[in-house]
Amino acid sequence: MEILEMIEKAGVVGAGGAGFPTAVKLAAKADCYIVNAVECEPLIASDKYLCRTHAKEILFGALTAAKTIGASRIVIALKKTYREEIQSLEKAIAETKAPVELFKLAPFYPAGDEQTLVQAILKKSIPEGGLPLDVGAVVNNVASVYNIGQAVQGKPVTHKILSIVGEVAKPVVLTVPIGTALTDCLRRARPLLKEYAVIIGGPMMGRLVPEKEHLRGEVVTKTTGNLLVLPPDHYLVRHAAVPIEKLKKQAMTACLQCRMCTDLCPRHNIGHRIDPHIIMRNAFKENLLDDNAYLKAFGEAANCCSCGVCEMYACPMGLSPKRMNDYFKGQLKAKGLRLERNQNPQAIANIEHRRIPTERLVARLGLSQYENQRVTPVNVDPKKVKIPLSMHIGAPAVCVVKKGDAVSCGTLIGEKNGKISANIHSSIDGVVVQAEQGYVEIRKGEAK
Ligand code: SF4
Ligand code: SF4
């Protein structure tokens, strides 16, 4: 079987959040293959754990993927502050003599943003709305790379490495079957408060669940990498609750036009046309969105990657350019409006002077007390799992099992449906107890 077929068969998708089918991404030719082990957002600890514990498997996955795309340069990118992880990867490189270089970035946010990362490594900016492939590179998250290595050894994606940090008695890094309830995972970390909020992902771009009751029904997917437990009155929770109409009024009345949001915007600084201060200035002209004269101002919102630097760090007035951009992005999409894309962006000179030190960002977010929490590794062995048939970009997989079927860990339960889709496998041994409404529920035990 061809390597791409094995990766497709194993259901490998982008594990860093996007969930794009990896076999489709690797069906290309590029000079440079980049493993993104930067772990972009503060506090997350899952990719670092993988680098410390599975360095040789990561190298194997990277060599496999690089061979597939014909890359002559293989780079693992991570932050220079990840001392143990660098040590572990350097040892593995020395022992295997793998032709892999480590690219050590300064600890800034968002170092792991694909476009920022490629510009830092290749010194070339990706065109607006483009892909790393446009400048000769393919990028995979380190957990996807690990899964690529497993796939070519016939092992499908069944488990996830997931850190739980924040307001907990025991910060953990779980190795957990996909489909495990998030409430089950959280119990292992022992939250310190009776009531709490959870961010699924990182503090800057993760999805906020404001009350623990709303976690019911949420499960570990192929893209879940971290849970951040917070007090319900934490700044991040209160900030996310402000409605868009109020944010619009704030933009119209309180923006100083100091342009700090634009000067620190990572996409602006790699040369993309995104000037959040201009969008804020024009917020009161929303009714002119269709007017060509204003399309330049509003159309730039499409180049925003929602990293949150502008509103969580840059703005001295506590305004929300990111959420205004998100809002206008939605409006532009609904009206089918699009600014012509700049195919030849150029990064500003001395770009490194405009980068946000992660430590300062953590302090600004009110998260310093959770920084550098040491995570304990724990294997989770749930009695049941509820596996979604859609954990990826593209069409949901088609269920191929029915109630009462006996399955083992690794049995195919959902078959990819079209080019952009992914296979789904059982993550435990057991019996199918439900197979409907986009989920397959499996319980441990024998079939009757
Ligand atoms: S969220 Fe703000 S800082 Fe980030 S890309 Fe968008 S405009 Fe720029
Ligand atoms: S940083 Fe804040 S106050 Fe300054 S221009 Fe941007 S939104 Fe306005």
Side-chain angles (χ1 to χ4, degrees):
M1 201 187 292
E2 294 288 326
I3 289 174
L4 283 179
E5 264 180 83
M6 290 191 251
I7 295 169
E8 182 185 290
K9 192 172 169 219
V12 183
V13 301
F20 189 79
T22 302
V24 179
K25 199 180 213 184
L26 294 180
K29 293 292 165 209
D31 294 335
C32 183
Y33 182 66
I34 300 172
V35 179
N36 186 349
V38 176
E39 197 127 73
C40 185
E41 290 226 34
L43 309 184
I44 304 182
S46 47
D47 287 352
K48 287 192 277 297
Y49 173 76
L50 196 58
C51 291
R52 291 198 298 277
T53 54
H54 291 84
K56 280 192 181 161
E57 290 88 341
I58 292 166
L59 292 183
F60 176 64
L63 293 172
T64 305
K67 190 175 162 202
T68 309
I69 63 165
S72 53
R73 184 180 178 198
I74 310 173
V75 180
I76 300 180
L78 71 179
K79 291 178 189 160
K80 64 182 177 194
T81 43
Y82 297 173
R83 289 192 188 86
E84 283 179 59
E85 294 74 18
I86 289 171
Q87 222 173 38
S88 160
L89 286 162
E90 280 178 343
K91 184 166 175 275
I93 290 169
E95 283 174 11
T96 57
K97 299 191 171 38
V100 174
E101 62 182 278
L102 296 189
F103 190 90
K104 300 167 198 168
L105 293 116
F108 71 92
Y109 177 81
D113 166 47
E114 201 166 78
Q115 307 245 352
T116 301
L117 182 62
V118 169
Q119 196 283 328
I121 295 172
L122 299 184
K123 307 292 176 236
K124 279 188 224 164
S125 294
I126 298 169
E128 289 174 5
L131 297 169
L133 204 52
D134 296 326
V135 292
V138 167
V139 184
N140 278 137
N141 166 270
V142 68
S144 313
V145 176
Y146 171 80
N147 287 338
I148 290 169
Q150 298 296 296
V152 296
Q153 295 174 69
K155 296 176 200 159
V157 181
T158 57
H159 284 63
K160 189 73 192 150
I161 291 176
L162 162 70
S163 50
I164 306 182
V165 293
E167 203 65 29
V168 293
K170 184 183 170 192
V172 287
V173 60
L174 305 178
T175 301
V176 58
I178 288 164
T180 304
L182 291 191
T183 46
D184 200 0
C185 297
L186 281 161
R187 263 198 295 278
R188 321 289 164 138
R190 304 207 302 269
L192 289 165
L193 300 164
K194 202 160 169 257
E195 299 302 327
Y196 53 85
V198 173
I199 296 180
I200 303 174
M204 295 295 279
M205 296 181 75
R207 176 163 64 89
L208 175 77
V209 181
E211 290 168 36
K212 68 176 191 189
E213 280 66 36
H214 299 161
L215 281 169
R216 230 172 273 140
E218 296 267 5
V219 296
V220 175
T221 71
K222 288 183 184 180
T223 60
T224 317
N226 183 65
L227 302 178
L228 170 60
V229 179
L230 291 174
D233 60 347
H234 190 275
Y235 168 70
L236 290 176
V237 184
R238 285 185 282 116
H239 182 78
V242 181
I244 187 71
E245 289 310 319
K246 186 165 179 193
L247 296 180
K248 275 197 226 170
K249 283 195 187 119
Q250 287 176 344
M252 290 178 219
T253 54
C255 175
L256 303 170
Q257 285 296 291
C258 66
R259 64 166 286 158
M260 282 297 282
C261 49
T262 295
D263 287 344
L264 295 180
C265 170
R267 290 292 172 99
H268 174 87
N269 291 340
I270 61 167
H272 289 191
R273 288 165 309 167
I274 170 80
D275 302 75
H277 76 286
I278 293 179
I279 292 171
M280 297 295 275
R281 184 194 301 164
N282 287 297
F284 73 100
K285 292 177 181 159
E286 188 186 343
N287 60 333
L288 297 173
L289 198 65
D290 299 285
D291 187 326
N292 261 342
Y294 288 96
L295 183 58
K296 178 175 176 330
F298 292 115
E300 287 189 350
N303 290 326
C304 166
C305 67
S306 304
C307 69
V309 162
C310 50
E311 71 182 46
M312 304 311 282
Y313 189 86
C315 182
M317 298 298 287
L319 305 180
S320 299
K322 179 223 150 194
R323 280 186 63 197
M324 292 297 286
N325 280 343
D326 288 346
Y327 171 75
F328 284 117
K329 251 192 267 185
Q331 297 293 309
L332 291 164
K333 202 171 166 198
K335 290 173 182 278
L337 297 170
R338 211 175 81 176
L339 198 64
E340 203 178 310
R341 285 173 172 160
N342 176 7
Q343 295 300 315
N344 191 22
Q346 302 291 325
I348 61 161
N350 300 322
I351 189 170
E352 58 284 354
H353 296 163
R354 299 266 186 96
R355 287 175 172 158
I356 314 295
T358 307
E359 202 181 338
R360 296 270 304 280
L361 175 66
V362 169
R364 186 72 64 89
L365 296 175
L367 298 171
S368 296
Q369 68 270 39
Y370 310 128
E371 216 182 3
N372 303 320
Q373 285 182 323
R374 199 73 200 167
V375 287
T376 306
V378 174
N379 288 328
V380 180
D381 185 19
K383 289 193 172 61
K384 65 172 184 182
V385 290
K386 188 178 174 191
I387 304 175
L389 290 167
S390 181
M391 296 182 267
H392 48 263
I393 287 178
V398 176
C399 183
V400 293
V401 289
K402 58 183 185 323
K403 193 173 171 181
D405 284 353
V407 292
S408 306
C409 181
T411 302
L412 184 75
I413 57 169
E415 199 163 3
K416 78 184 275 278
N417 182 16
K419 189 167 158 41
I420 311 294
S421 183
N423 284 343
I424 313 276
H425 302 81
S426 173
S427 56
I428 59 172
D429 299 341
V431 182
V432 175
V433 291
Q434 288 283 359
E436 55 189 33
Q437 293 174 346
Y439 285 91
V440 174
E441 204 172 326
I442 301 164
R443 272 178 209 274
K444 283 200 163 167
E446 304 280 318
K448 287 181 186 147

